[in-house]
């Protein structure tokens, strides 16, 4: 079945001697055609930071998300004449922040938890959650763009050995996304800029190749690629249960929990779907690969490993979110995290690794959109960490929006820079 092929997540293990050469972040030239709004987003009641909050410039397609520590930085072009930014998180009221067109950095922003009472009719208007999912599938043609869009995104992949980062690769990408009535494999990705930081230590010679990483917006767009979960032929493999209603972007959402109810030759998924109550669009999906039969998981996600190396998957997680703009719903954010252990047969103890890839859509254009020339596309067989030097740019991120690094990631970058300077 296609699902087995499309959700192999393009992970490959290989042994390689890592080069001491390290791509460094060049200092940006001073650019004056945009300003920056940055800070941290917190819960108004608990004062705890909120991760993965959508930050958008009102009246535009420009946006980003907060990182795991609730931090963000949003660059806005002066030409857009933006007056407000909007903050929206799951289970919170939206917040509108007035801006003046000048830098506003290091601020603290608060979101208020949303509380609402739902009548029994509202909660149980869909007695059968499987029927609700089918109805949302039938509405894809109404809710998602049938015309091509060119998306701009920021992609980051990291590899951790235990708690230490050993590989960090980042890129600005463009995604040609055809209409949602066309197959997902017609979509294309092009890398515009990139950088890599990698540990030069010989002890970190186990290199995990995250093949096709920047292509996550193609293959993990579960609405356009229903072979993941939303194909009606796949639905009978799962049992569905209604969860508590919540809100996203000030819009009421159904939540539907699902888990496998059949045994198949490939691993199925456990998770939750969020469906907009008014228009029945899929707005969010959180799911993980079932781990009862780890050999099935190995067959699905492991492309290659050296002889004698034992690979044990521990967890494979996915988050896919969509955002409504006008009358349509568009891809917004994707995250994929794989936790596993590796050890050699002659060793007593295994080493823990975590490979994470995430993409946030930072801009969108639907005017005069053309397919990316084939010679410029980044294919699923390519590895960003191996080829990122081809996309190095002195004016690194320029005015592109990114996901702010967490404190631990920034510390790792600074440490790797120091190691590089000492090795010169």
């Amino acid at each position: 079945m296609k699902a087995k092929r499309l959700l192999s997540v393009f992970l490959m293990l290989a042994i390689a001697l890592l080069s001491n050469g390290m791509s460094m972040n060049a200092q940006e030239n001073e650019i004056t055609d945009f300003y920056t709004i940055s800070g941290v987003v917190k819960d108004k009641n608990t004062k705890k930071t909120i991760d993965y909050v959508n930050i958008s410039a009102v009246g535009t397609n420009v946006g980003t998300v907060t990182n795991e520590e609730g931090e963000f930085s949003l660059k806005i072009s002066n030409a857009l004449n933006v007056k407000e930014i909007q903050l929206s998180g799951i289970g919170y009221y939206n917040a509108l922040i007035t801006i003046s067109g000048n830098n506003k950095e290091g601020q603290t922003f608060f979101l208020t938890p949303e509380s609402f009472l739902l009548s029994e009719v509202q909660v149980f208007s869909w007695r059968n959650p499987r029927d609700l999912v089918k109805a949302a599938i039938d509405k894809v043609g109404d809710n998602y763009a049938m015309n091509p869009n060119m998306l701009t995104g920021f992609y980051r992949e990291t590899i951790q050995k235990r708690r230490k980062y050993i590989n960090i690769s980042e890129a600005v990408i463009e995604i040609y996304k055809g209409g949602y009535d066309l197959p997902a494999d017609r979509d294309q990705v092009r890398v515009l800029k990139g950088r890599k930081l990698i540990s030069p230590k010989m002890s970190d010679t186990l290199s995990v190749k995250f093949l096709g990483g920047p292509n996550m917006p193609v293959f993990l767009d579960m609405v356009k690629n229903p072979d993941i979960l939303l194909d009606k032929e796949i639905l009978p493999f799962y049992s569905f249960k209604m969860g508590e209603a919540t809100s996203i972007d000030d819009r009421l959402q159904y939540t539907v929990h699902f888990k496998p109810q059949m045994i198949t030759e490939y691993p199925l998924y456990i998770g939750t779907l969020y469906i907009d109550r008014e228009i029945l669009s899929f707005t969010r999906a959180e799911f993980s690969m079932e781990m009862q039969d780890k050999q099935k998981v190995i067959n699905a996600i492991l492309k290659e490993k050296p002889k004698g190396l034992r690979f044990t998957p521990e967890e494979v997680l996915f988050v896919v979110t969509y955002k409504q703009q006008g009358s349509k719903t568009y891809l917004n954010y994707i995250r994929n995290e794989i936790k596993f252990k590796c050890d050699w047969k002659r060793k007593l103890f295994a080493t823990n690794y975590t490979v994470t890839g995430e993409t946030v859509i930072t801009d969108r254009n639907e005017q005069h959109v053309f397919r990316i020339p084939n010679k410029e596309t980044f294919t699923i067989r390519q590895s960003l960490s191996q080829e990122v030097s081809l996309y190095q740019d002195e004016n690194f991120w320029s005015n592109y929006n990114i996901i702010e690094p967490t404190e631990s990631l920034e510390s790792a970058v600074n440490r790797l820079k120091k190691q590089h300077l000492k090795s010169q």
Side-chain angles (χ1 to χ4, degrees):
M1 186 173 287
K2 291 181 181 178
K4 183 177 180 182
R5 174 176 61 87
L6 293 174
L7 261 191
S8 61
V9 299
F10 318 111
L11 177 67
M12 180 182 77
L13 292 181
I15 293 297
L17 295 180
L18 302 184
S19 168
N20 285 348
M22 186 184 301
S23 300
M24 306 303 293
N25 183 9
Q27 294 295 318
E28 295 180 8
N29 292 338
E30 185 176 359
I31 299 174
T32 58
D33 63 349
F34 69 90
Y35 55 95
T36 302
I37 309 296
S38 69
V40 61
V41 181
K42 295 184 177 182
D43 184 299
K44 187 176 181 179
N45 296 340
T46 66
K47 304 302 186 289
K48 292 182 178 179
T49 58
I50 312 174
D51 56 6
Y52 308 121
V53 172
N54 282 319
I55 314 293
S56 56
V58 175
T60 76
N61 299 319
V62 175
T64 187
V65 297
T66 61
N67 64 17
E68 293 178 350
E69 296 166 350
E71 298 169 336
F72 76 93
S73 178
L74 182 66
K75 297 174 182 177
I76 304 173
S77 170
N78 291 316
L80 294 176
N81 196 29
V82 174
K83 302 298 183 184
E84 294 176 313
I85 61 169
Q86 178 177 277
L87 286 62
S88 61
I90 183 170
Y92 290 90
Y93 289 108
N94 288 357
L96 287 175
I97 309 297
T98 301
I99 57 177
S100 59
N102 299 314
N103 289 338
K104 188 174 185 179
E105 302 183 63
Q107 304 292 307
T108 300
F109 303 92
F110 293 98
L111 290 182
T112 302
E114 188 164 30
S115 58
F116 45 83
L117 297 176
L118 299 174
S119 69
E120 185 175 342
V121 173
Q122 287 177 307
V123 176
F124 297 107
S125 56
W126 287 92
R127 296 288 182 180
N128 187 332
R130 189 191 308 274
D131 289 343
L132 170 59
V133 175
K134 287 181 179 179
I137 293 172
D138 290 337
K139 295 281 287 184
V140 167
D142 297 329
N143 291 326
Y144 299 84
M146 294 297 121
N147 58 304
N149 280 251
M150 186 68 78
L151 312 179
T152 302
F154 171 75
Y155 171 76
R156 175 185 288 139
E157 65 184 46
T158 63
I159 301 173
Q160 288 177 271
K161 180 181 180 181
R162 301 184 182 92
R163 294 186 178 182
K164 182 181 67 174
Y165 288 95
I166 62 171
N167 197 332
I168 305 163
S169 300
E170 300 175 324
V172 173
I173 60 177
E174 281 188 336
I175 308 110
Y176 171 86
K177 189 161 285 290
Y180 274 69
D181 56 339
L182 298 175
D185 57 11
R186 296 281 303 276
D187 294 351
Q188 301 168 293
V189 172
R190 168 168 50 198
V191 175
L192 300 179
K193 297 186 178 187
R195 71 168 179 176
K196 178 175 72 171
L197 294 166
I198 192 167
S199 170
K201 289 186 176 181
M202 295 298 292
S203 61
D204 292 333
T205 56
L206 179 64
S207 177
V208 183
K209 305 298 191 306
F210 201 16
L211 298 186
N215 282 276
M216 286 200 307
V218 174
F219 291 98
L220 289 180
D221 182 348
M222 63 185 303
V223 173
K224 192 170 188 186
N225 183 13
D227 293 315
I228 297 173
L229 179 67
L230 299 180
D231 189 316
K232 288 183 179 180
E233 294 182 5
I234 297 175
L235 295 187
F237 298 171
Y238 294 91
S239 64
F240 295 87
K241 179 181 178 181
M242 295 296 293
E244 293 186 5
T246 188
S247 68
I248 298 176
D249 247 350
D250 284 348
R251 298 178 64 89
L252 192 62
Q253 307 287 319
Y254 295 112
T255 62
V256 179
H257 305 301
F258 60 91
K259 62 181 180 181
Q261 65 175 4
M262 293 185 181
I263 297 175
T264 65
E265 64 180 13
Y266 54 88
L268 298 176
Y269 304 96
I270 303 166
T272 302
L273 298 172
Y274 296 78
I275 300 174
D276 184 280
R277 180 179 179 271
E278 181 181 345
I279 65 173
L280 298 187
S281 65
F282 294 100
T283 53
R284 184 181 179 94
E286 303 164 354
F287 55 108
S288 61
M289 195 172 281
E290 63 170 341
M291 287 288 165
Q292 290 183 344
D293 187 335
K294 292 195 175 183
Q295 187 57 51
K296 289 183 183 178
V297 178
I298 292 172
N299 294 340
I301 72 173
L302 188 62
K303 289 301 182 184
E304 183 180 327
K305 73 176 180 68
K307 186 177 181 180
L309 182 72
R310 290 184 292 205
F311 172 83
T312 305
E314 299 292 325
E315 202 169 28
V316 182
L317 305 172
F318 303 91
V319 176
V320 183
T321 74
Y322 299 84
K323 184 175 178 63
Q324 186 175 351
Q325 293 178 291
S327 62
K328 300 296 181 181
T329 303
Y330 300 92
L331 185 66
N332 181 62
Y333 175 79
I334 294 176
R335 181 181 176 87
N336 174 208
E337 185 174 295
I338 305 169
K339 296 181 179 180
F340 58 93
K341 292 181 179 180
C342 281
D343 69 307
W344 295 97
K345 291 181 179 179
R346 64 180 181 271
K347 290 189 176 182
L348 294 177
F349 301 104
T351 301
N352 294 313
Y353 288 88
T354 302
V355 177
T356 303
E358 59 181 337
T359 302
V360 61
I361 304 305
T362 58
D363 205 350
R364 179 178 58 82
N365 177 43
E366 55 186 343
Q367 303 296 323
H368 309 295
V369 174
F370 301 97
R371 288 180 59 83
I372 298 170
N374 288 335
K375 64 180 181 180
E376 298 178 19
T377 59
F378 194 90
T379 71
I380 62 173
R381 297 186 180 279
Q382 292 178 274
S383 169
L384 180 66
S385 62
Q386 287 184 326
E387 302 182 31
V388 70
S389 60
L390 300 175
Y391 307 101
Q392 197 70 19
D393 191 312
E394 291 184 0
N395 298 321
F396 195 50
W397 297 134
S398 184
N399 60 342
Y400 288 104
N401 280 296
I402 69 169
I403 302 173
E404 281 295 291
T406 60
E407 183 178 354
S408 60
L409 186 62
E410 197 148 78
S411 297
V413 171
N414 291 333
R415 183 172 61 253
L416 292 173
K417 284 181 179 180
K418 290 178 182 178
Q419 292 175 357
H420 174 69
L421 290 175
K422 288 180 180 178
S423 66
Q424 288 182 324

